[in-house]
Amino acid sequence: MSSDPLVVLGSLPGVAESVESVRKAVDRVYGHRVMRRRSHAVTSEAALRGARGSAALAGADWALEEVRRRSDFSVGDEDRTVGAALRLTAEAGQLLSIWRQSPLRVLARLHLVAAGVQGDTVGRPRLGAEPVDEPLVELPLPSAEEVAGRLEGLSQMIIAGSSAPALVTASVVHGELLALRPFGSYNGLVARAAERIVLIGSGLDPKSICPAEAGHGELGRAAYVAALDGYASGTPEGMAAWIAHCGEAVVLGVRESTAVCEALQRGAA
């Protein structure tokens, strides 16, 4: 058995094409002339659009301008979801140096940031029969013991590193966290934030201008759930379909940032 299991996933049918499509899209937006002098503005807008997309998948499908306008996210469930997505997007870039050494610590921090409150169940994997609030994902819920074992395996894989493309690693981290739902809440938001961390930390998107979360949101909840079912199946076809779905989300996120670059170039944003 390969000591680098992600490399095997990179050889699945269609995955190389997805990886190449992502690489070309990312290269194009990084080569945009606006990126030479206004990259910080593009990064800020990408963060906002990524947060909006992640929140939409979690059931708070707000217009971008509404997310931009609001300052209080404490009133209702949707408000708290959008607020959590915004906090996670802001936090992700602060955790890059810790991720490769202690991914479980980062995941705990992400959940704490998403929850926005202290509590006995916040920032730690669920125990025993503790409930999980994640209505989007209807897969069978793994036991707490299985969660602990698979999280440890995921952690060791990240620490060991991989020669697989960043898209493959990010897709597996994202899919595994969604399938496990290790926390009592906000698992989808945390999983998508972890995907962001991998894409940035890998060097594929060092300036964080390619918001995969925006692409996931654009592809919609039905396609997201169907692709996740493929990941959870563990079959080569299902895994390849999930990686392709994540690749398409990155490409769509790049399209968002390309539009931002062009608006900045025209002086319209």
Side-chain angles (χ1 to χ4, degrees):
M1 183 175 295
S2 171
S3 60
D4 189 350
L6 296 181
V7 169
V8 177
L9 297 180
S11 67
L12 292 175
V15 171
E17 289 82 357
S18 293
V19 168
E20 181 66 7
S21 177
V22 165
R23 186 192 64 78
K24 287 181 176 179
V26 172
D27 285 351
R28 281 195 300 271
V29 72
Y30 269 84
H32 199 287
R33 61 186 299 179
V34 165
M35 288 297 297
R36 293 196 294 270
R37 61 188 188 278
R38 302 286 302 276
S39 64
H40 290 303
V42 181
T43 296
S44 296
E45 186 65 16
L48 186 72
R49 294 178 185 222
R52 195 216 73 81
S54 192
L57 285 176
D61 191 1
W62 289 12
L64 181 63
E65 291 309 315
E66 178 67 9
V67 178
R68 197 191 307 279
R69 181 186 68 81
R70 293 284 287 274
S71 58
D72 181 4
F73 299 96
S74 62
V75 178
D77 288 344
E78 288 195 7
D79 302 64
R80 284 187 284 271
T81 296
V82 175
L86 288 166
R87 291 192 299 273
L88 284 172
T89 302
E91 186 76 7
Q94 310 303 313
L95 300 172
L96 296 173
S97 62
I98 307 171
W99 176 253
R100 282 294 300 273
Q101 285 73 44
S102 185
L104 296 184
R105 180 180 163 197
V106 169
L107 293 175
R109 174 63 183 170
L110 290 175
H111 187 245
L112 181 64
V113 168
V117 296
Q118 299 286 342
D120 293 341
T121 63
V122 175
R124 66 154 175 81
R126 54 189 168 83
L127 303 173
E130 288 178 348
V132 173
D133 180 16
E134 196 65 49
L136 176 62
V137 181
E138 298 181 353
L139 295 169
L141 191 66
S143 68
E145 293 76 14
E146 182 180 351
V147 167
R150 287 172 63 176
L151 279 179
E152 182 61 29
L154 184 65
S155 174
Q156 292 303 317
M157 183 184 70
I158 293 164
I159 292 169
S162 174
S163 60
L167 173 65
V168 174
T169 303
S171 300
V172 169
V173 168
H174 183 174
E176 189 70 356
L177 292 173
L178 270 180
L180 292 178
R181 284 146 291 163
F183 302 109
S185 59
Y186 297 114
N187 288 287
L189 294 179
V190 168
R192 292 183 287 277
E195 179 187 48
R196 169 182 283 267
I197 288 173
V198 174
L199 294 173
I200 299 169
S202 67
L204 176 68
D205 181 23
K207 294 184 182 293
S208 189
I209 62 165
C210 306
E213 308 98 314
H216 285 300
E218 184 173 343
L219 290 168
R221 300 180 85 187
Y224 189 68
V225 170
L228 178 62
D229 286 345
Y231 175 87
S233 74
T235 64
E237 297 80 9
M239 296 292 290
W242 169 250
I243 295 169
H245 182 87
C246 291
E248 188 176 358
V250 176
V251 171
L252 289 172
V254 168
R255 189 174 70 181
E256 290 269 324
S257 288
T258 301
V260 171
C261 286
E262 293 176 356
L264 287 168
Q265 185 170 289
R266 294 191 304 269

